[in-house]
Amino acid sequence: MLISRKFLNGSTLKNVSFVILLLKMCLLFGQKRVIVIDPGHGGKDSGAIGINYLQEKDVALNISEEILQLNKTILNDEFDIYLTRYKDTLISLSDRTRLAKSLNTDVFVSLHCNHTDNSNVKGIEVYVNDSKKPKIKESIALGLSMLKEGTRKLGFEKRGVKFADFQVLRETIAYFPSVLMEIGFISNPDEANYFLKPKNSKAMAMATLMGIINYLNTRL
């Protein structure tokens, strides 16, 4: 049922089965929700540069665009999904959060890639703002749901939900659940090569969207 497999130090990175995800996606729906996806960096800010010169800004935008397409083609625009940037442009962090707040957003997700000098480090981690704002518990629940889908479905290592004072989280946590997801290490050869293939960007987009959907289902 899996399209392809890639072995990674005893674990497996893989494409998700469209059949399983489509069946799960059909188990929604209620009131139309607003989702804002924030592809990190852009323009002159490339973000991290990984193996084979893979740039963080490109990986984040590719996956965000796939999320938009899945909502249109598979879910028939069940959600109102907006991106903070639709092309390779640099948008200020304040403008990104200002857009999200203006849209009466239900969920805010900022997508990034990790990088470290140790090429053996790998996996997905999710950050929430370390504050006492009203949406902290919801943000943690959203992060756990997304982490579960990205690791269990795709075979990435689970690095947990962590706390950080990133600006996009600090400026949104009081208004709606918000997370920053590091979708793998482009400094790791296997994870960087994984994102060189468009079908794998779609797989990560599906897992990310399912994590959001599963969270929203618990709030219906």
Side-chain angles (χ1 to χ4, degrees):
M1 187 171 281
L2 295 173
I3 301 172
S4 67
R5 293 177 180 264
K6 183 174 183 61
F7 291 93
L8 173 63
N9 298 329
S11 65
T12 306
L13 295 184
K14 50 198 172 185
N15 292 301
V16 286
S17 162
F18 274 68
V19 175
I20 294 175
L21 278 180
L22 293 183
L23 286 174
K24 289 184 69 176
M25 283 179 173
C26 291
L27 299 178
L28 317 172
F29 291 115
Q31 177 182 354
K32 195 164 188 177
R33 305 300 185 94
V34 176
I35 299 170
V36 173
I37 305 295
D38 172 41
H41 307 282
K44 64 181 181 180
D45 177 12
S46 65
I49 299 177
I51 304 297
N52 296 328
Y53 303 103
L54 186 66
Q55 297 186 47
E56 179 181 3
K57 66 174 184 178
D58 295 330
V59 177
L61 183 58
N62 290 343
I63 293 171
S64 299
E65 290 174 335
E66 291 289 357
I67 290 173
L68 273 182
Q69 284 300 113
L70 288 168
N71 185 52
K72 291 179 180 178
T73 60
I74 304 299
L75 301 182
N76 297 316
D77 283 319
E78 181 66 32
F79 298 97
D80 284 331
I81 299 183
Y82 301 89
L83 305 187
T84 58
R85 65 180 179 96
Y86 290 85
K87 53 186 179 180
D88 186 19
T89 54
L90 180 60
I91 308 296
S92 74
L93 298 180
S94 295
D95 284 343
R96 295 171 193 241
T97 59
R98 189 176 298 117
L99 171 67
K101 286 185 281 190
S102 71
L103 291 171
N104 194 26
T105 301
D106 290 290
V107 166
F108 176 88
V109 175
S110 188
L111 293 181
H112 291 258
C113 296
N114 243 326
H115 187 281
T116 179
D117 291 336
N118 184 350
S119 63
N120 292 319
V121 177
K122 58 186 182 291
I124 297 174
E125 58 192 19
V126 179
Y127 288 89
V128 300
N129 183 254
D130 186 11
S131 70
K132 303 301 181 184
K133 300 295 184 180
K135 300 299 181 180
I136 181 65
K137 290 183 179 179
E138 290 90 340
S139 296
I140 293 172
L142 171 62
L144 288 171
S145 180
M146 294 175 62
L147 190 63
K148 179 179 178 181
E149 293 298 322
T151 56
R152 197 167 76 175
K153 293 293 191 304
L154 302 183
F156 281 74
E157 182 177 304
K158 183 186 294 186
R159 294 176 58 86
V161 174
K162 304 179 179 182
F163 296 98
D165 193 34
F166 295 125
Q167 182 177 342
V168 292
L169 301 181
R170 183 173 66 249
E171 295 182 355
T172 54
I173 187 65
Y175 302 92
F176 37 76
S178 59
V179 301
L180 186 148
M181 185 177 182
E182 299 276 7
I183 50 178
F185 283 78
I186 57 175
S187 52
N188 178 278
D190 295 282
E191 293 188 350
N193 288 331
Y194 181 86
F195 287 118
L196 288 174
K197 299 177 181 179
K199 64 183 178 182
N200 292 340
S201 292
K202 178 172 286 188
M204 180 58 76
M206 293 185 79
T208 301
L209 187 54
M210 275 309 309
I212 296 171
I213 290 171
N214 288 341
Y215 164 77
L216 290 173
N217 276 340
T218 67
R219 297 304 190 265
L220 291 177

